[in-house]
Amino acid sequence: MATLIKNKRIVPDSWQLLEPAADGGLPDVPLTGDWLVPFAAWRDQRAQLIERAGSGGRNGVLLENTDDPHALAADFDRLALIAVRFPKFTDGRGYSVARLLRRLGWKGELRAVGDVLRDQLFLMRRC
């Protein structure tokens, strides 16, 4: 199982990223488990993913730093996690997305994924 830094500790990570297939489509999401899906997949399979959450699985969405968080705000109550991808450690757009999510009312777990340096953790905690 993968690990992550959460609340200043290294802990196991139960979330799995559902990667798109080569043709761009997503495989079926298992009924159980914690699955992080790309924002485009959430838009396309929203109804199925919401139904899946009723079967014991938890849903999370991965936002690219180019995605508009406003489009996700109506679904905050259906998500357990939102992750923001940092494609390069020098690209600060992920910080802007994270701050905007908080301003829109997201109170749940917010993660940074991708090219993240330990030196940036202090700044990320402020988001």
Side-chain angles (χ1 to χ4, degrees):
M1 180 177 282
T3 59
L4 67 126
I5 299 172
K6 184 175 180 178
N7 298 324
K8 299 180 184 179
R9 294 180 175 216
I10 297 175
V11 297
D13 183 11
S14 65
W15 290 88
Q16 299 176 63
L17 177 61
L18 194 65
E19 295 282 358
D23 63 1
L26 279 178
D28 291 332
V29 181
L31 289 178
T32 59
D34 300 334
W35 289 94
L36 187 62
V37 298
F39 180 58
W42 177 259
R43 279 193 327 250
D44 295 344
Q45 298 182 21
R46 182 179 175 276
Q48 298 93 318
L49 290 166
I50 290 170
E51 182 179 324
R52 172 196 170 280
S55 301
R58 294 190 304 165
N59 292 317
V61 171
L62 173 63
L63 291 174
E64 298 297 329
N65 60 7
T66 54
D67 290 330
D68 181 10
H70 289 94
L72 191 59
D75 290 326
F76 281 174
D77 60 336
R78 293 179 173 90
L79 299 171
L81 169 73
I82 297 177
V84 179
R85 185 184 308 273
F86 284 74
K88 297 180 184 178
F89 75 91
T90 58
D91 189 339
R93 291 177 291 177
Y95 291 105
S96 299
V97 170
R99 289 295 298 162
L100 186 53
L101 284 165
R102 291 296 189 206
R103 286 185 184 144
L104 289 170
W106 175 251
K107 303 252 188 274
E109 185 173 347
L110 183 59
R111 288 190 185 176
V113 298
D115 195 2
V116 177
L117 302 177
R118 288 184 177 169
D119 297 349
Q120 296 171 313
L121 294 178
F122 176 75
L123 295 172
M124 289 180 178
R125 186 149 176 89
R126 293 175 67 188
C127 293

